[in-house]
């Protein structure tokens, strides 16, 4: 008997809270909002890379700090789903469940890439 392999493509919608971005635009102005979004994209990208390195090195303290920073950054810029997944990662890091840590980290990185691309496209439309 031959086993069948079914490939499942995990895809999540990148949730960008456009009202948060529009609120920033109204309170800061278009140019300052765009600068803030660009800075947030850079910071989030940097933290995701740091988080991945820390998880690979089993440095759970650094990974937790990076995930906590991501929660603040993503909430501020309207990436609410990323914020929730980063919170989930903090929980499994505290439990030291290596299987869950790997899975949730992969989910956060995948969602981060999608969310940041969505945010960049939104920025191209004049944030």
């Amino acid at each position: 008997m031959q086993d069948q392999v079914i490939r499942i493509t995990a895809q999540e919608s990148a949730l960008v809270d456009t009202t948060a971005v529009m609120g920033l635009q109204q309170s800061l102005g278009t140019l300052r909002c765009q600068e803030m979004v660009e800075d947030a994209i850079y910071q989030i990208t940097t933290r995701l890379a740091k988080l991945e390195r820390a998880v690979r090195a089993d440095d759970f303290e650094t990974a937790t700090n990076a995930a906590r920073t991501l929660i603040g950054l993503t909430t501020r810029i309207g990436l609410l789903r990323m914020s929730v997944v980063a919170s989930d990662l903090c929980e499994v890091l505290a439990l030291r469940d290596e299987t869950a840590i790997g899975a949730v980290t992969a989910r956060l990185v995948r969602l981060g890439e999608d969310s940041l691309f969505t945010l960049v496209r939104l920025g191209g439309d004049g944030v």
Side-chain angles (χ1 to χ4, degrees):
M1 181 179 274
Q2 188 175 7
D3 291 333
Q4 285 189 325
V5 176
I6 300 172
R7 182 175 303 276
I8 299 173
T9 305
Q11 184 139 13
E12 301 181 55
S13 61
L15 180 62
V16 176
D17 181 5
T18 55
T19 57
V21 177
M22 297 305 171
L24 286 172
Q25 186 177 16
Q26 287 178 343
S27 66
L28 301 173
T30 302
L31 183 59
R32 180 65 188 120
C33 178
Q34 191 168 17
E35 290 171 352
M36 184 178 178
V37 168
E38 289 170 0
D39 183 58
I41 290 169
Y42 172 77
Q43 294 295 329
I44 291 167
T45 302
T46 301
R47 292 309 185 284
L48 282 172
K50 184 176 186 174
L51 176 69
E52 282 186 294
R53 284 191 304 273
V55 167
R56 277 195 303 271
D58 292 331
D59 182 353
F60 298 134
E61 184 177 338
T62 299
T64 300
N65 290 337
R68 286 185 181 140
T69 301
L70 280 169
I71 293 167
L73 288 168
T74 55
T75 300
R76 182 180 67 195
I77 205 69
L79 302 176
L80 303 179
R81 184 161 295 150
M82 272 192 77
S83 179
V84 169
V85 176
S87 295
D88 293 343
L89 182 57
C90 286
E91 289 180 30
V92 296
L93 282 163
L95 297 173
R96 302 294 195 252
D97 181 340
E98 292 187 25
T99 302
I101 290 169
V104 177
T105 299
R107 180 177 179 215
L108 182 59
V109 169
R110 191 174 55 247
L111 182 59
E113 290 172 353
D114 291 345
S115 296
L116 291 175
F117 282 126
T118 300
L119 194 56
V120 167
R121 282 192 300 273
L122 181 64
D125 293 337
V127 176

